[in-house]
Amino acid sequence: MSVMTRDFFLYLSKNKALNRAAQNWGGNIASGKIVGGLDFPSSVKFIKELNDYGLSVTVDHLGEFVTNKAVAIERAEECIRTIETIAAQKLDSQVSLKLTSLGLDIDDQLVYDHMTNILDTAEKHQIMVTIDMEDEQRCQKTLDIFKDFKSRYNYISTVVQAYLYRTEEDINELSSYKPFLRLVKGAYKESPTVAFPNKSDVDQNYKKIIKMHMLSGSYAAIATHDDAMIEYTKELAKEHNISKDQFEFQMLYGMRSQTQRELVKEGYKMRVYVPYGDDWYGYFMRRLAERPANIAFVLKGMTKK
């Protein structure tokens, strides 16, 4: 991707006026196309459709960088309700969340209290909760919180990003926890002092961390739309006799739906990331910033049915 294209979509993702406009009129356009629905109950029918195709799901209530305590409390309560609904309706779904939505930028104790309540519910229902990774300045705190809770809870996982220089070392440090990790390239705009500026270097590092984590014996989620990375993962698994039960592929809702179904037919675990909520615009722009091909995938998805 050209730097200009990436920067353009990242700029749009932070435009407050466009975000407000999208929340006011764009939700119905996005629902069932690139997001599940404007709330979780309205997303359930889309999750069931995916499950019927043999696709697993992880859901995410959109919204991050919360600075209001009341909003953070509501986000935590929403997550707990979502886990309970998943269990009650027997959906094949996990939950993803961002720590800034729970108050990471407000107060550490607030986040710990919220995560404790969420994970108590997740353990009760045996539903995995993945802590999404955000920008680099919050990376260390996110991993510290993950490690703390991982020492006490089973149903918790997190994400590492290939574009950060630090990620190889992070995987090594996390290895003793036998973690379930989602491996991604990364979507935030970072300084070249902390992240690879060139796509080729990111791709190379992505292959490196895929191999590291898959050979460690811990569960791996390869979150990519890149055919080259999908084929690399398949060949790596064959070469090292890694069971298909030891890893899965993950893709975004509304993008590469046919490929998702083909992977299921090939016997691979395929999980679809289904965001929901009215704060969908920034998420959408970052997905377009990640990879130019996403633009074509989205246009195709938005015009289906």
Side-chain angles (χ1 to χ4, degrees):
M1 175 194 306
S2 71
V3 174
M4 184 178 298
T5 301
R6 178 183 175 87
D7 289 351
F8 173 69
F9 283 114
L10 289 175
Y11 167 77
L12 291 179
S13 75
K14 298 176 182 178
N15 187 292
K16 293 181 180 179
L18 290 175
N19 267 280
R20 285 194 297 270
Q23 289 181 3
N24 290 334
W25 58 261
N28 291 330
I29 296 173
S31 295
K33 305 296 183 180
I34 58 171
V35 300
L38 298 184
D39 55 29
F40 187 68
S42 64
S43 303
V44 169
K45 64 180 179 180
F46 301 114
I47 295 169
K48 288 182 176 179
E49 287 176 2
L50 293 168
N51 288 171
D52 287 343
Y53 280 109
L55 297 159
S56 300
V57 168
T58 186
V59 296
D60 177 19
H61 185 198
L62 291 171
E64 56 191 311
F65 305 129
V66 170
T67 56
N68 182 293
K69 184 176 179 180
V71 174
I73 292 171
E74 191 281 327
R75 295 283 182 170
E77 292 173 347
E78 166 69 16
C79 191
I80 290 170
R81 288 194 297 270
T82 297
I83 293 170
E84 291 173 339
T85 301
I86 289 170
Q89 300 214 21
K90 296 181 170 56
L91 303 174
D92 181 1
S93 180
Q94 300 177 354
V95 171
S96 295
L97 57 80
K98 291 179 174 61
L99 293 182
T100 58
S101 74
L102 303 181
L104 184 68
D105 295 344
I106 303 172
D107 177 67
D108 287 357
Q109 189 58 51
L110 185 65
V111 172
Y112 272 87
D113 291 345
H114 287 163
M115 282 299 296
T116 298
N117 292 335
I118 290 167
L119 290 173
D120 282 346
T121 306
E123 292 283 310
K124 174 183 176 181
H125 296 294
Q126 299 183 348
I127 292 173
M128 183 66 69
V129 173
T130 297
I131 300 175
D132 282 340
M133 189 56 69
E134 301 180 69
D135 56 358
E136 191 274 339
Q137 67 175 342
R138 295 172 176 84
C139 181
Q140 187 60 55
K141 184 175 282 190
T142 298
L143 292 179
D144 289 342
I145 291 172
F146 167 74
K147 288 186 284 188
D148 188 359
F149 280 103
K150 179 60 178 171
S151 66
R152 293 176 282 128
Y153 291 90
N154 293 316
Y155 289 89
I156 181 171
S157 64
T158 194
V159 180
V160 294
Q161 300 165 311
Y163 70 171
L164 296 180
Y165 300 136
R166 59 174 292 164
T167 298
E168 182 177 353
E169 181 178 346
D170 287 337
I171 290 177
N172 283 327
E173 290 185 1
L174 289 168
S175 63
S176 62
Y177 293 85
K178 302 296 182 185
F180 172 170
L181 295 180
R182 179 193 297 154
L183 311 179
V184 305
K185 291 186 182 181
Y188 292 87
K189 182 175 175 59
E190 303 287 3
S191 164
T193 62
V194 299
F196 294 103
N198 296 322
K199 180 183 181 300
S200 60
D201 292 328
V202 176
D203 287 351
Q204 191 61 36
N205 200 47
Y206 194 39
K207 289 182 178 180
K208 179 186 289 186
I209 67 171
I210 289 172
K211 186 173 184 178
M212 283 178 62
H213 192 56
M214 287 184 66
L215 293 183
S216 75
S218 297
Y219 195 84
I222 315 304
T224 183
H225 297 154
D226 188 334
D227 287 329
M229 298 304 167
I230 293 170
E231 291 306 312
Y232 174 80
T233 302
K234 290 178 180 180
E235 291 303 315
L236 182 70
K238 290 177 183 177
E239 179 183 355
H240 296 278
N241 296 314
I242 299 171
S243 170
K244 290 180 179 178
D245 294 333
Q246 197 63 36
F247 67 98
E248 65 185 47
F249 293 107
Q250 294 190 0
M251 293 185 189
L252 302 174
Y253 182 56
M255 302 186 192
R256 308 214 67 183
S257 299
Q258 186 58 42
T259 300
Q260 294 171 14
R261 296 173 189 178
E262 288 171 357
L263 285 167
V264 170
K265 290 179 181 178
E266 293 173 21
Y268 293 100
K269 182 81 166 181
M270 177 68 235
R271 189 174 305 279
V272 183
Y273 186 95
V274 180
Y276 70 92
D278 62 5
D279 193 14
W280 62 273
Y281 173 80
Y283 157 82
F284 182 39
M285 290 298 111
R286 285 196 299 276
R287 300 296 77 78
L288 298 184
E290 281 179 303
R291 191 164 178 255
N294 285 348
I295 299 172
F297 297 150
V298 168
L299 290 174
K300 183 177 180 180
M302 293 286 278
T303 57
K304 71 182 180 180
K305 297 181 183 179

